[in-house]
Amino acid sequence: MQLLPLAPGRLRQGSPRHLPSCSPALLLLVLGGCLGVFGVAAGTRRPNVVLLLTDDQDEVLGGMTPLKKTKALIGEMGMTFSSAYVPSALCCPSRASILTGKYPHNHHVVNNTLEGNCSSKSWQKIQEPNTFPAILRSMCGYQTFFAGKYLNEYGAPDAGGLEHVPLGWSYWYALNSKYYNYTLSINGKARKHGENYSVDYLTDVLANVSLDFLDYKSNFEPFFMMIATPAPHSPWTAAPQYQKAFQNVFAPRNKNFNIHGTNKHWLIRQAKTPMTNSSIQFLDNAFRKRWQTLLSVDDLVEKLVKRLEFTGELNNTYIFYTSDNGYHTGQFSLPIDKRQLYEFDIKVPLLVRGPGIKPNQTSKMLVANIDLGPTILDIAGYDLNKTQMDGMSFLPILRGASNLTWRSDVLVEYQGEGRNVTDPTCPSLSPGVSQCFPDCVCEDAYNNTYACVRTMSALWNLQYCEFDDQEVFVEVYNLTADPDQITNIAKSIDPELLGKMNYRLMMLQSCSGPTCRTPGVFDPRYRFDPRLMFSNRGSVRTRRFSKHLL
């Protein structure tokens, strides 16, 4: 199937135009703002970029284990980040952070619903024109290609339907996450798919349209590709050839598996311990199927790298591989989901290869998915001072910069969801909870609203979290001594340190742009400035405080 870019007649007023194929000399005249160290003025071709994004793939519980080819072709040929985090452990807020380079309190996507700003008209009007792909296309002359899951409510009638193509994309193949029986938006036109594996299995369809793009794209402009797979999201439908894989694999029985969440927020404490045999069988089966779906992603990566090599583009292409959030299977007796503040939900894989990156490297530097946009724009040579992004470019880390000054903390924030009615399948539960499965163990609630400072420095590996509920519950973990986050040390930690972390959390919750990148509590450059706690033009929400924090 030959791919066609968006027709000029389809572009709305104010849309960045797809630049016609032209010589590097003409591009130099048109694109003065995106040359940088890779610019054509220096006689080099600007690099291409590929971003591979999986759905709900954990790092902590071995989520990369099935992807042997991906680890060999990306990780071993470049850099693997061991401390990569998401600012919100849920699909739509996290994906919005990737696209905008902003924390959720700045892009205002708080959950997976239209009411939570997920692909809403407000998102389309305010945030989509300023995503990093829109900048790559309008300011840097990149061909931009998207294939896969966009935002959860994309395609809904109240979000403009499948006719809506976000600003910034030359080629658009999008939907929500499914494996079969879905409808793709192909440059704004609907195409239905059924359940025939050879032509409909979504991960393979994404692989094929991506290879087609590489065959038919312009050779005079650099390109950016974003490929967002359904795997390993539920319903965990594996390709036929992989449905018997990993039959002897079970969810990891680590130290926090199937134990009571003592001294944790009430939502964790309500989980039934020990879990029933049926729950354990359910989560083991889910764990196994998740790995099975990832085998097709591994095939996709192999095909893509081989095609880039065949076309001579591989050595001039950065390839990023990551996930939108982590996942848990039985930790603290929570059967399956994400959304929680713990490492298994907020930590994700991140592998990068490309020009100037030495092979077989591992970086412990603290990065977040809000850094992907700034990093990719930096690769394109765009002046990051012209953006309003909260993240930082980690291109210097990729290129092996020495004596680099880097951050020591990131913000994690989540706004809980709960129904105003009692779940008919769990009549004993009060209104206000959601995601109650199996055995009526609830994974979310309206007051599962929290914010955390995740800190990593030479001396500290710490997580400090506050819940916005009547308890104003606080959880603090020393991950050096307690990597499984079993023991909440909020009541035993130095009160002075607790106060500093409280102030730092307030500052990060109200930060915007440069103020999100100020030194953390354990950075020698740290200076307390109360003005930074209210720097975001009054957008910081009202907070309540425990007596021991005052």
Side-chain angles (χ1 to χ4, degrees), residues 342-396:
Y342 307 103
E343 293 284 281
F344 42 73
D345 283 0
I346 64 174
K347 195 173 184 181
V348 293
L350 177 58
L351 292 69
V352 191
R353 67 171 289 173
I357 305 176
K358 296 179 180 179
N360 286 307
Q361 292 191 88
T362 299
S363 174
K364 296 181 180 179
M365 302 296 264
L366 180 61
V367 296
N369 71 7
I370 58 170
D371 301 329
L372 290 170
T375 301
I376 293 169
L377 289 176
D378 199 9
I379 288 170
Y382 188 73
D383 182 358
L384 297 180
N385 293 322
K386 296 180 180 179
T387 75
Q388 298 176 340
M389 295 182 176
D390 303 331
M392 305 169 63
S393 169
F394 55 82
L395 182 59

Side-chain angles (χ1 to χ4, degrees), residues 154-191:
Y154 175 76
D158 290 342
L162 295 174
E163 295 79 15
H164 172 68
V165 177
L167 295 176
W169 298 101
S170 316
Y171 303 81
W172 181 254
Y173 291 76
L175 75 168
N176 202 337
S177 245
K178 290 186 177 180
Y179 295 86
Y180 292 110
N181 297 311
Y182 54 85
T183 302
L184 268 176
S185 170
I186 301 181
N187 294 334
K189 295 183 179 180
R191 175 178 292 175

Side-chain angles (χ1 to χ4, degrees), residues 502-515:
N502 169 254
Y503 284 127
R504 179 62 177 167
L505 179 60
M506 285 194 290
M507 193 286 292
L508 286 175
Q509 280 194 282
S510 62
C511 76
S512 180
T515 59

Side-chain angles (χ1 to χ4, degrees), residues 442-498:
C442 300
E443 298 273 0
D444 207 1
Y446 76 93
N447 65 354
N448 184 37
T449 296
Y450 60 81
C452 306
V453 182
R454 182 67 178 91
T455 296
M456 299 184 72
S457 68
L459 298 177
W460 290 92
N461 187 3
L462 192 72
Q463 185 173 15
Y464 171 91
C465 302
E466 291 183 20
F467 283 83
D468 188 11
D469 62 5
Q470 291 182 345
E471 291 182 281
V472 197
F473 200 83
V474 176
E475 295 189 29
V476 185
Y477 299 97
N478 177 353
L479 283 97
T480 300
D482 180 23
D484 295 296
Q485 297 171 289
I486 294 171
T487 304
N488 180 6
I489 60 172
K491 294 182 179 179
S492 60
I493 197 170
D494 181 357
E496 182 179 353
L497 176 57
L498 206 63

Side-chain angles (χ1 to χ4, degrees), residues 25-97:
L26 182 56
L27 277 176
L28 177 62
L29 294 174
V30 176
L31 306 169
C34 276
L35 300 182
V37 295
F38 296 111
V40 292
T44 59
R45 294 180 60 196
R46 286 177 298 154
N48 311 304
V49 182
V50 177
L51 172 59
L52 294 152
L53 180 66
T54 55
D55 198 343
D56 288 1
Q57 185 182 357
D58 68 275
E59 192 275 339
V60 172
L61 302 179
M64 284 300 298
T65 303
L67 293 134
K68 295 180 179 180
K69 292 180 283 192
T70 299
K71 289 187 289 185
L73 293 170
I74 303 179
E76 293 175 15
M77 298 302 296
M79 182 175 289
T80 298
F81 286 83
S82 61
S83 303
Y85 290 85
V86 296
S88 188
L90 188 63
C91 301
C92 202
S94 181
R95 288 165 184 261
S97 287

Side-chain angles (χ1 to χ4, degrees), residues 270-312:
Q270 59 86 38
K272 299 173 183 178
T273 307
M275 292 183 288
T276 63
N277 289 335
S278 61
S279 285
I280 293 176
Q281 291 174 2
F282 176 78
L283 67 88
D284 277 336
N285 190 46
F287 187 89
R288 190 177 303 115
K289 288 184 174 181
R290 283 165 52 80
W291 276 21
Q292 292 170 354
T293 66
L294 285 170
L295 293 175
S296 293
V297 176
D298 211 28
D299 292 341
L300 183 158
V301 172
E302 181 184 40
K303 293 174 185 176
L304 188 71
V305 171
K306 285 185 174 180
R307 184 62 58 89
L308 287 168
E309 186 175 29
F310 177 78
T311 59

